[in-house]
């Protein structure tokens, strides 16, 4: 298979971890006989520095012409600490989602048995937790009307959703639940928000079309509590953009490190695959960041982007082996030997070439 991949390393640790994902992709390509063509694109602070635009048109053209986007992270403290900045790295991330029509973020949350004690939660709570968060990605407050009035002393962000936007994300969530344990949790705030009441109304109307799916409804504050008190309750969770952003980051603590969780953003055009950890500028350039989430994002790319399940499995087996054998970065070393970002990437790529053995 000839595969065109847009490489979008972005900011902070993005280039380092994406570099390790590329090693895994190349190892898979060699093992399974695929040809990979990479084209690099700028998004985020690096794009602002280069041309003043967080998502330049050239980068969009590269993404549209590719079979998948392998993404790193965006964000830079020099913009975070300037509330008056008109152009921000995060605008590039929002733009790539909107222009590629990436309306659904799929974030699996699962635990590695050998790391269960690394979670801040009790081992008996997290051991065996395995669920998927599906977050609507192109609606809500992030894209609704926003602004200032009263001389800049009053600010507003509009949380707006249409029925069609809700239906398409719920359809995806119902389908995911059907392929898993047939349990869907719809998270909203329908006791307060009108937009949430529309979410619940649409979901209830769709239930009859999926009679084999057990559906329950949970207010977002209760869902946040349930994630840390009983995460094994969940199978598939679906929610709107802002709630999903918060809940999925909260859920990352279950595995023991944000450096372990990958995600896929899918929709109308080229799908995008990225780690959830952000740009982590404090670690940038130090070769200490955990590359596993980026490498697992590459696994999701093969699985969700191309339907190549064996290729994705090869990456997952190598990652699991690296964790079991303690080939991990400092966030997981727990007093033992800490390997560098590149050492972990090299080890996993080598294991892929050995068939995971």
């Amino acid at each position: 298979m000839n595969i065109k991949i847009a490489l979008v390393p972005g900011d902070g640790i993005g280039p380092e971890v994406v570099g390790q994902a590329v090693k895994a992709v190349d190892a898979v390509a060699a093992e399974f006989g695929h040809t990979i063509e990479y084209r690099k694109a700028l998004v985020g602070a690096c794009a602002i520095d280069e041309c003043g635009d967080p998502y330049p048109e050239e980068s969009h053209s590269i993404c549209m012409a590719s079979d998948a986007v392998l993404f790193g992270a965006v964000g830079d403290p020099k913009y975070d600490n300037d509330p008056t900045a008109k152009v921000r790295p995060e605008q590039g991330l929002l733009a790539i989602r909107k222009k590629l029509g990436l309306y659904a973020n799929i974030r699996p949350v699962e635990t590695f048995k050998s790391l269960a004690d690394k979670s801040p939660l009790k081992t008996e709570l997290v051991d065996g937790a395995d669920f998927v968060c599906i977050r609507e990605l192109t609606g809500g407050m992030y894209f609704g009307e926003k602004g200032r009035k009263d001389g800049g002393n009053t600010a507003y962000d509009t949380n707006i959703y249409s029925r069609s936007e809700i239906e398409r994300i719920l359809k995806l969530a119902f389908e995911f639940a059907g392929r898993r344990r047939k349990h869907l949790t719809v998270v909203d705030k329908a006791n307060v928000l009108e937009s949430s009441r529309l979410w619940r109304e649409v979901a209830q109307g769709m239930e009859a079309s999926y009679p084999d799916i057990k559906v329950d409804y949970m207010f977002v504050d209760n869902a946040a509590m349930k994630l840390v008190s009983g995460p094994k309750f969940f199978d598939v969770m679906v929610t709107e953009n802002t709630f999903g952003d918060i809940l999925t980051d909260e859920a990352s603590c279950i595995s023991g490190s944000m450096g372990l969780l990958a995600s896929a953003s899918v929709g109308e055009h080229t799908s995008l695959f990225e780690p959830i950890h952000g740009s982590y500028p404090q670690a940038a350039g130090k070769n200490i960041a955990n590359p596993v989430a980026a490498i697992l994002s590459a696994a999701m790319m093969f699985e969700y982007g191309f339907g190549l399940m064996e290729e994705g499995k090869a990456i997952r087996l190598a990652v699991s082996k690296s964790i079991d054998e303690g080939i991990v970065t400092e966030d997981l070393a727990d007093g033992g030997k800490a390997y560098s970002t590149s050492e972990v990437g090299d080890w996993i790529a080598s294991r892929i070439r050995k068939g995971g053995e």
Side-chain angles (χ1 to χ4, degrees):
M1 186 174 180
N2 298 318
I3 300 171
K4 295 180 180 180
I5 298 175
L7 284 184
V8 187
D11 307 321
I13 63 171
E16 296 169 71
V17 298
V18 167
Q20 310 318 307
V22 167
K23 292 176 184 177
V25 171
D26 288 343
V28 165
E31 282 297 298
F32 290 86
H34 301 302
T35 301
I36 309 294
E37 178 186 337
Y38 299 105
R39 291 187 67 190
K40 191 173 180 180
L42 296 175
V43 176
C46 60
I48 298 173
D49 293 343
E50 180 79 19
C51 61
D53 185 343
Y55 185 44
E57 188 56 41
E58 181 182 358
S59 294
H60 181 58
S61 297
I62 290 171
C63 292
M64 287 290 289
S66 300
D67 299 311
V69 178
L70 197 53
F71 195 91
V74 298
D76 190 293
K78 68 184 178 185
Y79 297 98
D80 296 341
N81 297 327
D82 182 7
T84 65
K86 300 299 183 186
V87 181
R88 296 179 177 276
E90 292 75 15
Q91 292 170 343
L93 184 56
L94 296 180
I96 196 171
R97 290 171 180 170
K98 196 71 173 179
K99 288 188 175 183
L100 293 180
L102 304 176
Y103 63 83
N105 180 250
I106 302 162
R107 189 173 294 186
V109 178
E110 56 187 328
T111 53
F112 294 88
K113 202 161 189 67
S114 60
L115 295 178
D117 62 339
K118 299 287 193 291
S119 173
L121 303 181
K122 292 180 179 179
T123 301
E124 60 265 28
L125 291 179
V126 301
D127 189 17
D130 175 12
F131 59 94
V132 175
C133 299
I134 296 181
R135 167 190 169 193
E136 201 289 324
L137 209 55
T138 56
M141 281 195 291
Y142 288 16
F143 293 95
E145 184 181 351
K146 57 183 85 280
R148 297 276 187 104
K149 57 184 181 180
D150 299 334
N153 294 313
T154 301
Y156 62 92
D157 298 276
T158 308
N159 193 43
I160 186 166
Y161 272 104
S162 67
R163 182 177 294 271
S164 60
E165 287 176 313
I166 299 168
E167 285 175 342
R168 69 182 180 181
I169 192 73
L170 285 171
K171 180 177 184 292
L172 183 69
F174 272 108
E175 290 171 351
F176 255 81
R179 295 194 294 268
R180 288 176 53 90
R181 301 191 301 273
K182 302 185 186 304
H183 177 203
L184 177 64
T185 302
V186 181
V187 176
D188 60 31
K189 192 63 177 171
N191 57 336
V192 175
L193 301 177
E194 190 62 35
S195 57
S196 282
R197 285 190 278 274
L198 179 59
W199 270 77
R200 187 166 294 207
E201 175 188 316
V202 172
Q204 289 173 339
M206 294 176 69
E207 279 190 50
S209 299
Y210 301 90
D212 59 332
I213 307 297
K214 178 183 182 295
V215 183
D216 48 45
Y217 298 85
M218 193 175 288
F219 295 146
V220 63
D221 41 355
N222 187 26
M225 180 180 68
K226 193 70 172 175
L227 275 175
V228 294
S229 63
K232 285 185 277 191
F233 168 84
F234 296 105
D235 178 24
V236 176
M237 171 197 297
V238 63
T239 192
E240 59 99 52
N241 204 343
T242 305
F243 296 161
D245 192 1
I246 297 165
L247 290 175
T248 51
D249 276 7
E250 181 190 7
S252 70
C253 75
I254 293 167
S255 67
S257 172
M258 288 186 77
L260 295 172
L261 298 184
S263 75
S265 296
V266 302
E268 299 168 4
H269 301 296
T270 314
S271 295
L272 180 149
F273 303 87
E274 63 177 317
I276 74 159
H277 49 56
S279 63
Y280 191 17
Q282 301 90 334
K286 296 180 180 179
N287 202 22
I288 60 173
N290 190 341
V292 165
I295 293 170
L296 289 176
S297 295
M300 292 187 74
M301 177 184 71
F302 282 109
E303 294 161 347
Y304 290 84
F306 311 134
L308 299 173
M309 306 308 290
E310 288 302 312
E311 285 83 340
K313 182 180 178 182
I315 295 175
R316 294 184 186 281
L317 285 173
V319 166
S320 294
K321 197 74 172 174
S322 74
I323 291 171
D324 288 344
E325 296 195 12
I327 313 299
V328 295
T329 44
E330 64 177 25
D331 56 317
L332 298 175
D334 197 24
K337 176 177 170 55
Y339 290 78
S340 70
T341 305
S342 56
E343 285 174 331
V344 172
D346 288 340
W347 196 95
I348 290 172
S350 175
R351 186 62 52 159
I352 291 169
R353 289 191 171 94
K354 295 175 182 176
E357 296 303 323

